[in-house]
Amino acid sequence: SSDVCSSDLMYIVNASLDEAASQKVMDSLHKIITDHEGTIDNVDDWGVKEFAYEIKHMNKGHYVVINVTANNEGIHEFERLARINPNVVRYMVVKTEAEK
């Protein structure tokens, strides 16, 4: 549909999770996009970084940036589920570009 676009989504996973649990959070977030007929085009795992200031009583988090091709519905659902996921410290849509 015409509302498909390329977006960069950044999210921060609770750094105290072990690798398997962290991967499970990542997979579940990525699945939201693919369940809505989108694709995960690139995953840039930045690993654990210190925060400039404390967020939710934590001072570091596991940063991941994904580039996706998705429709509005997929992006909105990603935001909704990221917001309520207790292991997602923060998330944001970094940029969105309409398909040419």
Side-chain angles (χ1 to χ4, degrees):
S1 69
S2 59
D3 68 350
V4 169
C5 57
S6 173
S7 300
D8 288 344
L9 309 176
M10 186 190 88
Y11 59 89
I12 306 173
V13 179
N14 184 331
S16 65
L17 296 181
D18 65 30
E19 206 175 324
S22 182
Q23 190 60 52
K24 203 170 163 190
V25 173
M26 292 167 65
D27 291 345
S28 71
L29 289 173
H30 301 176
K31 188 174 186 298
I32 299 163
I33 298 295
T34 55
D35 281 351
H36 287 83
E37 292 158 39
T39 57
I40 308 292
D41 304 321
N42 189 51
V43 177
D44 195 2
D45 188 332
W46 294 4
V48 175
K49 304 235 176 272
E50 296 277 332
F51 297 146
Y53 52 89
E54 199 174 89
I55 305 175
K56 296 184 179 173
H57 310 292
M58 298 175 212
N59 49 24
K60 59 180 197 253
H62 181 165
Y63 284 73
V64 184
V65 177
I66 56 174
N67 177 258
V68 306
T69 302
N71 56 29
N72 291 337
E73 195 186 354
I75 298 286
H76 291 152
E77 189 66 356
F78 176 92
E79 293 183 292
R80 187 181 76 79
L81 292 170
R83 189 179 302 126
I84 62 178
N85 188 321
N87 290 312
V88 177
V89 183
R90 274 273 191 287
Y91 68 88
M92 63 187 286
V93 177
V94 185
K95 72 175 174 56
T96 299
E97 290 171 6
E99 293 288 271
K100 300 287 177 278

